[in-house]
Amino acid sequence: MADITRRLGWRHLRGAPTAHVRHHRSGKLAHDGPGLSFWFRSLSAALSEVPVDDRELAMTFHARTVDFQDVAVQATVTYRISDPAVAAARLDFSIDPDTGVWRSAPLEQLGTLLTETAQQHALDVLARTSLASALVDGVKSVRERVAAGLAAEPRLPATGIEIVAVRVVALRPEPEVERALRTPAREQIQQEADRATYERRAVAVERERTIAENELASKIELARREEQLVEQRGTNTRREAEESAAADKVRAEAEATRSVRLAEAEAARAVKLAEAEAQRTERLSQAEATRTVRLAEAEAARSVQLAHAEAQAAREVGEARAQAQAAWLRVHADVDVATLHALTGTRLAENLPRIDSVTISPDVLTGLLSRLGAGERE
């Protein structure tokens, strides 16, 4: 878009290097070319700006193949305006003298023209092509046909348009058809994957078999070596047992010899101890016999003395009692019988045990009183 500024009723236009500007003043061409810069009056000027750079036009449209399958075509057409004067005469590229903006949409018209022209040639080639061929070689054939058709289109040179390049990006069927077409390939890929899996499993099984055989061989070799080890261990054990038996025999003989010597020494020591003990016992027996004899003699003498002393004391006591009894009898020879009875009761009372209380029944009391009364009467 041109850059337009205002100064006191005048306008100044400054164009871009890729924009071809045409300035008509009063019906006459005053300025013509790209990248111009000039002053003009808006009331008498007619301006048009034609882009001369390469433009990319992306297009997407649907086509139908010979087997009635819908195909989406994605393509890009690169073009440029080679004759700006012709293009400005055929299309409305005029711009507003105050803002520099196009009054219409000329590029949209060019896009519609190119899209419809390319679509026409693409539909023509795809209508005679099957879906499988279109998916395989359709991109190249559509690109060549569209490029040839646009190059041979008479309206494009008459409009000042030059086709630079044509690119077909993709040809895609409907999603359902695309999934259906992918199914055989997927199945084949799955079969290849299954075959690879089976082969890998077969290789794994073979390797496992080899490993198992190697393990079995290793186990057999280990068993053989273990057998040799057991035999060697048996031999070693037998040798150790023989050597241990010989050592035990030597040790037993030495122990027996030592035991015999110890027994002989112990017997000699026991004999000596027995002899010493016998002598000691004999001496003790003699001393004890002497002591016993002496004690018996002393005890006999003491017993004789005690017997003599007891006999003498008994004789003396008897004599004293006899004398006392005789004296007592002499004293009481003239006493009456009642007095003797009273004395007898007194002596008896002195020898009786202590009596705390006496219970006299009426019968006893009556008898006593009767006796006392009879005595008094006498």
Side-chain angles (χ1 to χ4, degrees):
M1 183 179 66
D3 185 12
I4 298 176
T5 58
R6 301 178 182 183
R7 292 292 186 276
L8 300 175
W10 289 83
R11 306 288 189 273
H12 183 269
L13 182 144
R14 184 176 61 218
T18 58
H20 188 94
V21 178
R22 292 173 62 83
H23 173 211
H24 290 80
R25 185 174 55 237
S26 300
K28 295 181 180 180
L29 185 61
H31 298 90
D32 185 17
L36 296 180
S37 180
F38 55 88
W39 291 91
F40 66 94
R41 296 183 67 88
S42 61
L43 297 177
S44 62
L47 302 174
S48 61
E49 183 182 20
V50 181
V52 294
D53 57 339
D54 291 347
R55 299 265 173 165
E56 299 286 341
L57 177 62
M59 57 185 72
T60 301
F61 53 88
H62 290 268
R64 181 170 295 182
T65 61
V66 69
D67 48 1
F68 303 102
Q69 298 297 325
D70 188 71
V71 179
V73 181
Q74 297 178 2
T76 302
V77 176
T78 304
Y79 69 95
R80 64 184 178 86
I81 299 176
S82 59
D83 193 346
V86 175
R90 298 294 299 271
L91 299 174
D92 185 10
F93 284 96
S94 61
I95 61 176
D96 189 282
D98 294 327
T99 61
V101 178
W102 279 319
R103 296 179 183 273
S104 60
L107 295 182
E108 293 181 3
Q109 295 178 6
L110 284 177
T112 302
L113 174 62
L114 293 174
T115 300
E116 291 178 353
T117 304
Q119 184 176 359
Q120 179 181 357
H121 294 290
L123 293 175
D124 186 42
V125 68
L126 289 175
R128 294 191 298 270
T129 306
S130 63
L131 178 61
S133 300
L135 294 177
V136 175
D137 300 324
V139 173
K140 180 180 179 181
S141 60
V142 170
R143 183 181 65 249
E144 292 176 353
R145 181 60 181 274
V146 170
L150 293 176
E153 181 65 30
R155 187 179 175 184
L156 297 181
T159 313
I161 299 173
E162 180 183 355
I163 302 301
V164 177
V166 176
R167 299 188 302 277
V168 178
V169 180
L171 290 174
R172 298 180 65 87
E174 293 180 347
E176 295 80 3
V177 178
E178 187 174 6
R179 285 194 294 270
L181 292 174
R182 288 177 180 176
T183 301
R186 288 181 179 177
E187 292 295 334
Q188 185 176 1
I189 293 172
Q190 186 64 37
Q191 291 177 3
E192 292 293 334
D194 294 340
R195 183 163 48 253
T197 301
Y198 296 150
E199 292 177 355
R200 185 170 61 254
R201 289 181 180 177
V203 172
V205 170
E206 182 65 23
R207 290 179 179 176
E208 289 178 358
R209 185 181 63 80
T210 304
I211 292 172
E213 292 178 354
N214 293 334
E215 290 180 352
L216 181 59
S218 299
K219 290 180 179 179
I220 293 173
E221 181 66 20
L222 288 175
R224 187 177 61 81
R225 292 186 180 182
E226 287 180 358
E227 183 179 1
Q228 294 177 356
L229 180 61
V230 170
E231 292 178 357
Q232 185 65 34
R233 284 180 178 175
T235 302
N236 295 337
T237 304
R238 186 168 56 255
R239 186 177 301 170
E240 290 177 358
E242 293 175 355
E243 293 178 357
S244 178
D248 293 339
K249 182 179 180 182
V250 172
R251 192 180 301 109
E253 292 176 353
E255 187 68 23
T257 303
R258 177 174 172 274
S259 299
V260 169
R261 291 177 180 176
L262 289 176
E264 291 176 352
E266 186 68 24
R269 178 173 173 275
V271 169
K272 291 180 180 180
L273 289 176
E275 292 177 352
E277 185 67 22
Q279 294 176 0
R280 176 175 172 275
T281 302
E282 185 177 359
R283 289 196 297 270
L284 290 176
S285 299
Q286 293 176 358
E288 185 67 24
T290 304
R291 178 174 172 273
T292 302
V293 170
R294 291 177 181 177
L295 289 175
E297 292 177 351
E299 185 67 26
R302 179 174 172 273
S303 297
V304 170
Q305 292 177 0
L306 287 176
H308 288 299
E310 290 178 356
Q312 183 65 28
R315 187 169 52 253
E316 293 177 354
V317 170
E319 292 177 354
R321 286 181 177 177
Q323 293 176 2
Q325 187 70 26
W328 188 80
L329 290 175
R330 283 192 303 268
V331 170
H332 294 87
D334 298 328
V335 179
D336 55 358
V337 177
T339 302
L340 292 175
H341 288 169
L343 291 174
T344 302
T346 301
R347 296 293 298 272
L348 180 62
E350 290 177 357
N351 294 322
L352 288 175
R354 180 180 178 182
I355 299 173
D356 291 333
S357 62
V358 177
T359 303
I360 300 175
S361 64
D363 296 335
V364 176
L365 183 59
T366 302
L368 290 176
L369 292 175
S370 296
R371 289 180 182 179
L372 288 176
E376 290 179 355
R377 284 191 302 268
E378 291 175 359

